Every structure is written in C-alpha cells, then in structure tokens.
Amino acid sequence: IVAPYIFLFLLDYVGYYSVTDYDQFTIKGFLNFIDVRSRYAHSDSFYNVSEMNYIYAIFTLLFRPLIFEVKNIFQLVISIENLILLIIVTFLIIKKLLSKLSIPHSITITLFFYMITLLFFLSISVGNFGIASRQKWMVLPILLVLLLTKPLTNEKSKY
C-alpha cells in the first residue's frame, strides 16, 4: 500500500522532478534524468555514459579504469583487479569459442538473459568508477558461471 508513496518520495529525493521537465515518471523522463545526472562530473572518478556506445559502456562498467587511466591510489587498486578480470574473461571467452558449442540448457538461457538485462540497466545508469567497481559484481559471477560451465550432454538433466 505504501510502495507508490515511497517511490514518489525517492523520485523527489534524488531530484527527478527538478532535473527533468516531466511531472510524472516515464521511461523517456527516466532516460533524460540519467543523461542529465551523468553530466555532473564531481571528481576524477566520474565518466559520461551518454557519450558512449552500448558496448563501450558495458566494457567501462566491467573493466575500467584501466592501468593507464589511474588518477589516484584507489583507482590503481581497482585497475589491477580489472586487468586480472579482463585477462580471465578474455581467456574464458576464447576457450569457450574454441570448444564445442551445443544447445544451451534453459537455466543457461535464463542466466544469460538476466545478465544482459542487468548489464543494460547498469551500463546506462552508472557513471562512477567506484560505484561500477561494486555493481559489476552483480554481473561477473553470472558471466563466469556461463563461461566455465560445460555444455550438457544428451543425458537426462537432474534439473
């Protein structure tokens, strides 16, 4: 019963109505809100999502800042972690492409669509390296599970 009021309070709290020209919550207004808020560069750890294409925004969410983009000690630690993750994910993707590909199981398909949906929303809404370094861990375990699982054989599944 109170959920709509909490939602309206949160919209007002984050400044949705002061940033956008919309008096109601719409998808177009939400995208406009994200675009305007992503331009607020408060420090070296912010980046502009609206100027990136979708693939680069996903790469930024998962693997940036890279070692040559470091501007402070915290970004150095995150960039070393990102370099290790980039090497692991690249290796696993190459290994997966070179192995036999088979028809995926329904659980694999579900995890894949969950990961893609989450990547879409996170990549267009996160514009800070610190926040991205925490929120990427909602996606990376799923990506690693999908890359590490072997295809099911024709035997009956236990699922």
Side-chain angles (χ1 to χ4, degrees):
I1 294 174
V2 298
Y5 298 107
I6 292 173
F7 183 70
L8 291 174
F9 171 76
L10 289 175
L11 286 178
D12 190 44
Y13 182 76
V14 297
Y16 174 80
Y17 299 113
S18 63
V19 172
T20 64
D21 297 331
Y22 298 92
D23 57 351
Q24 293 180 352
F25 181 78
T26 62
I27 297 298
K28 190 174 181 182
F30 178 69
L31 293 175
N32 183 25
F33 173 75
I34 290 173
D35 183 45
V36 170
R37 289 294 297 258
S38 68
R39 293 186 202 145
Y40 295 153
H42 301 293
S43 69
D44 292 337
S45 63
F46 281 82
Y47 55 90
N48 192 353
V49 179
S50 63
E51 294 178 357
M52 299 178 185
N53 66 24
Y54 181 62
I55 301 298
Y56 189 61
I58 290 175
F59 180 82
T60 298
L61 176 76
L62 295 177
F63 302 115
R64 281 188 62 206
L66 296 173
I67 217 77
F68 53 86
E69 298 173 316
V70 170
K71 296 183 177 152
N72 58 43
I73 189 72
F74 300 111
Q75 287 183 359
L76 177 65
V77 172
I78 293 171
S79 68
I80 293 169
E81 173 187 296
N82 288 339
L83 181 64
I84 294 168
L85 287 171
L86 184 60
I87 291 169
I88 291 170
V89 169
T90 304
F91 173 76
L92 291 174
I93 288 173
I94 291 170
K95 187 175 178 184
K96 190 72 151 179
L97 291 175
L98 294 177
S99 69
K100 287 185 178 180
L101 297 177
S102 65
I103 299 172
H105 193 267
S106 62
I107 293 173
T108 307
I109 294 170
T110 305
L111 284 175
F112 179 76
F113 281 116
Y114 173 76
M115 181 186 72
I116 293 298
T117 304
L118 197 58
L119 275 175
F120 172 75
F121 286 112
L122 288 176
S123 66
I124 65 170
S125 62
V126 175
N128 181 295
F129 288 132
I131 294 170
S133 70
R134 291 185 292 275
Q135 290 187 345
K136 72 182 174 190
W137 288 104
M138 293 190 291
V139 177
L140 278 175
I142 298 167
L143 178 63
L144 293 174
V145 164
L146 290 175
L147 291 174
L148 288 171
T149 55
K150 294 184 179 184
L152 293 175
T153 59
N154 291 334
E155 300 171 8
K156 289 187 176 182
S157 174
K158 295 181 180 180
Y159 297 115

